[in-house]
Amino acid sequence: MKAVTWYGKHDVRVEEVPEPEVTEPTDAIVRVTLAAICGSDLHLYHDEIPGMLPGTVLGHEFVGVVESVGPAVRAFKKGDRVVGTFHIACGHCRACRRGDYHQCERGGVLGYGLAFGNLPGAQAELVRIPYADVNLRPIPAGLSDEQAIFAGDILTTAFGAVKNAGLRPGERCAVIGCGPVGIFAIQSAQVFGAAKTLAIDLIEKRLALAERLGAIPIDAGKSNPVSRVMAETGGEGADVVIEAVGGSQTLELAFDLVRGGGRISAVGVSAEETFAFPLMSSFTKAIHFHLGVANIHRDIDATLALVAAGRIDPTVIISHRLPLEEAPKGYRLFAERKATKVVLIAG
Ligand code: NAD
Ligand code: ZN
Ligand code: ZN
């Protein structure tokens, strides 16, 4: 079968690889119809994540049709249309029983290398999904592949970030980064009832999309985002700040933007090991700070329901639709910020 494979910095290829097979009774094989390139794949593309082996099949955002299932799979059968969660959970370990699916003791991330379970990814014609009953969801009737795909990762990541921040109706939410995750954070903040969403980025096109969705755009390259957010919040700062870039620079900015008693929720992936935490000011301002990998299983049913109800249109971010064979071009366009979101048509 054809699959997108990783060979090092800025080197992804489309190759013939062996087809996956059911190896555990709880596995399903999914025939991928649509896969996306995630901002997290860019960290691999820039060779920032340790533990990648040359030839690793990439990709963790996908929808498809169930091709075959192991004998222990109860919820799915051949022919079912499904969306998959980007991280795999077993459903039975101590963490999963607690609802911390992102901390599963047997878990991993599809297509993210040795440090994340060494699971082949979904930018391929077929993908093996372990614990299929736990990690797949049926696509609600009437939803297209493009409407469903992001529930398995970035839409639910952004929604969960806003939920983790405890955003209440009438609050003001600043979103740092208007990539696909930031755009979905804006849409999620509006669903949670934000009175004002402030969108910070450096790219005009992405800010324009944020503005079309009802946010106030702030170009951090042209104006000081701290003074702009202060001006928009009566000098207080944002009630909630969502960090959707990754790295210490934008984390520092989040602490500057948040009001006293406010909440920061950061979902950007950081390759840096440490970060100089603003200890004294966070103490005196009594800041809540939440950081981490998303818990997709906790929130995916909610995001699918919101999309099905027409409350969130996730297709607004798609700028490029390419055949799987053109994945290297898709990675290049996304890395060069010439594409907002690339989806790969696999079948
Ligand atoms: P992206 O790279 O397309 O978006 C990042 C955006 O940040 C870009 O629009 C860029 O212009 C903007 N940006 C960069 N520097 C900035 C600065 N100094 N100030 C303001 N804006 C700046 O990626 P994405 O798909 O939107 O993903 C965003 C982040 O979320 C990535 O780090 C990704 O790995 C991460 N992510 C995390 C999870 C999770 O589980 N926590 C899940 C999915 C994605
Ligand atoms: Zn992702
Ligand atoms: Zn588990």
Side-chain angles (χ1 to χ4, degrees), residues 215-256:
I216 297 167
I218 298 174
D219 188 332
K222 293 190 179 143
S223 61
N224 180 336
V226 180
S227 40
R228 289 289 309 281
V229 167
M230 290 302 155
E232 293 288 349
T233 56
E236 257 198 311
D239 303 287
V240 162
V241 179
I242 305 297
E243 193 280 341
V245 183
S248 53
Q249 197 193 341
T250 44
L251 274 180
E252 275 164 28
L253 177 61
F255 283 89
D256 291 337

Side-chain angles (χ1 to χ4, degrees), residues 152-229:
D153 184 357
I154 54 170
L155 173 58
T156 306
T157 295
F159 177 89
V162 175
K163 183 171 164 177
N164 289 335
L167 192 138
R168 297 186 286 262
E171 290 194 318
R172 299 148 304 187
C173 179
V175 176
I176 307 173
C178 299
V181 174
I183 293 291
F184 285 153
I186 290 165
Q187 290 178 301
S188 300
Q190 291 164 346
V191 164
F192 277 88
K196 225 180 216 190
T197 47
L198 306 156
I200 303 161
D201 205 291
L202 304 159
I203 301 173
E204 217 168 284
K205 217 171 175 176
R206 295 186 175 195
L207 287 166
L209 174 57
E211 187 173 21
R212 266 206 313 284
L213 295 168
I216 297 167
I218 298 174
D219 188 332
K222 293 190 179 143
S223 61
N224 180 336
V226 180
S227 40
R228 289 289 309 281
V229 167

Side-chain angles (χ1 to χ4, degrees), residues 313-327:
D313 177 6
T315 64
V316 292
I317 62 165
I318 300 173
S319 59
H320 290 72
R321 298 164 175 87
L322 300 175
L324 188 68
E325 291 82 349
E326 290 184 29

Side-chain angles (χ1 to χ4, degrees), residues 89-96 104-107:
C90 77
H92 297 293
C93 70
R94 292 171 298 179
C96 284
C104 174
E105 293 169 16
R106 304 182 192 102

Side-chain angles (χ1 to χ4, degrees), residues 38-40 60-61 86 153-154:
C38 178
S40 299
H60 56 261
E61 254 184 328
F86 81 82
D153 184 357
I154 54 170

